[in-house]
Amino acid sequence: MKYDEQRRLGIELAKAAGLPKTQGTIESESCCFDDILKTALAEGGTDALVSYVLQGPPEWAYQTLRYVPVGAHREALLAKAAEAPEWALRAFHFAQVRSQRSALLKSAGMQELTTISGMSLFNDGGYVAQWTLNWIHGGSQQPNQNYGNWNDWKWSDRLNLGQGSGRIDLTKFVLPKAPLASGDECWMYVWVQAGNDMQSMHFIYDPQVSTTANYVCSGTTTSEHLGLQG
């Protein structure tokens, strides 16, 4: 649904609900989802807000999960977001999903991700490489803006040709303002000296499993490759 159509539907629903402040906020083209949803929450309460959001497109459900506290309505909103691939994927990344994981992944055209607790990298390439972990926690990629300088991130040792990092437990990469929790989506980020950086496929972190994602990087600084060995 296009944004002008969404705005018209929102105005109709706010008018029918007797929420003039919300209606006015929707009518203002300078207001965004954050403004609209918080106004509706203050004026009508959580139950009313969610009931009308569920009458709209899946994007509304995702935006509601993102901007306002929804309490017991969380599952209904996740199910609504799962009705459209784009918003299913965004909800999957943003929310700490449990019960709706399969529905969101299916809608987004994604397979269930493998759970791991560690990673390793062997350098078979003609360059120096070093790797770290990126992950999604609470809807934000970590390490986030609190760690703008990647020198402040935690890294493996630098690896020359023929060297490997061995298995590294993913908790090694945790930072004071960048937590890692069970269920977080994570991936390997490989720095290549004088070349192009690389990223692995995505996994789900689970400290209760012993599974390790073992990677090998190869090629040269003009043709880098990163492959999963098992």
Side-chain angles (χ1 to χ4, degrees):
M1 182 181 289
K2 297 180 180 180
Y3 283 110
D4 57 346
E5 296 173 347
Q6 290 190 37
R7 193 177 297 275
R8 284 197 295 271
L9 176 58
I11 291 171
E12 291 174 4
L13 291 172
K15 187 175 181 180
L19 303 175
K21 291 182 180 179
T22 302
Q23 181 181 340
T25 305
I26 298 171
E27 290 172 345
S28 173
E29 295 187 0
S30 65
C31 292
C32 60
F33 275 107
D34 188 7
D35 303 315
I36 294 167
L37 291 166
K38 288 179 179 177
T39 300
L41 179 66
E43 188 175 27
T46 305
D47 291 347
L49 168 62
V50 172
S51 69
Y52 287 104
V53 164
L54 294 176
Q55 297 179 49
E59 179 181 4
W60 290 9
Y62 162 73
Q63 299 289 3
T64 303
L65 286 163
R66 181 181 180 186
Y67 287 118
V68 300
V70 296
H73 300 289
R74 175 183 169 85
E75 295 301 319
L77 291 167
L78 284 170
K80 181 68 178 182
E83 293 179 4
E86 177 182 2
W87 305 110
L89 181 59
R90 294 196 187 194
F92 176 80
H93 284 161
F94 179 80
Q96 294 298 298
V97 178
R98 292 294 182 272
S99 62
Q100 294 293 337
R101 168 185 290 278
S102 296
L104 291 167
L105 286 172
K106 182 178 180 180
S107 177
M110 298 168 59
Q111 295 182 341
E112 189 71 45
L113 303 181
T114 301
T115 56
I116 63 170
S117 61
M119 285 184 170
S120 73
L121 177 66
F122 182 83
N123 186 4
D124 195 31
Y127 44 75
V128 176
Q130 190 175 21
W131 71 275
T132 187
L133 188 74
N134 286 167
W135 65 97
I136 302 291
H137 179 82
S140 297
Q141 181 170 323
Q142 305 293 342
N144 59 23
Q145 62 271 17
N146 293 317
Y147 294 94
N149 186 342
W150 69 353
N151 290 324
D152 295 330
W153 302 4
K154 295 186 178 180
W155 293 80
S156 71
D157 293 335
R158 292 197 175 194
L159 307 173
N160 295 312
L161 174 63
Q163 292 183 324
S165 68
R167 183 188 192 277
I168 299 179
D169 191 286
L170 299 186
T171 55
K172 168 187 170 64
F173 302 99
V174 170
L175 295 163
K177 296 180 181 179
L180 174 66
S182 179
D184 286 351
E185 185 177 347
C186 58
W187 60 97
M188 176 184 287
Y189 183 95
V190 182
W191 170 79
V192 176
Q193 186 175 40
N196 296 310
D197 297 346
M198 299 177 287
Q199 298 185 51
S200 76
M201 64 180 287
H202 289 204
F203 300 88
I204 296 296
Y205 173 65
D206 183 352
Q208 301 302 315
V209 302
S210 60
T211 312
T212 302
N214 299 300
Y215 276 90
V216 172
C217 59
S218 58
T220 67
T221 55
T222 59
S223 180
E224 307 90 344
H225 300 284
L226 182 65
L228 178 66
Q229 299 301 296

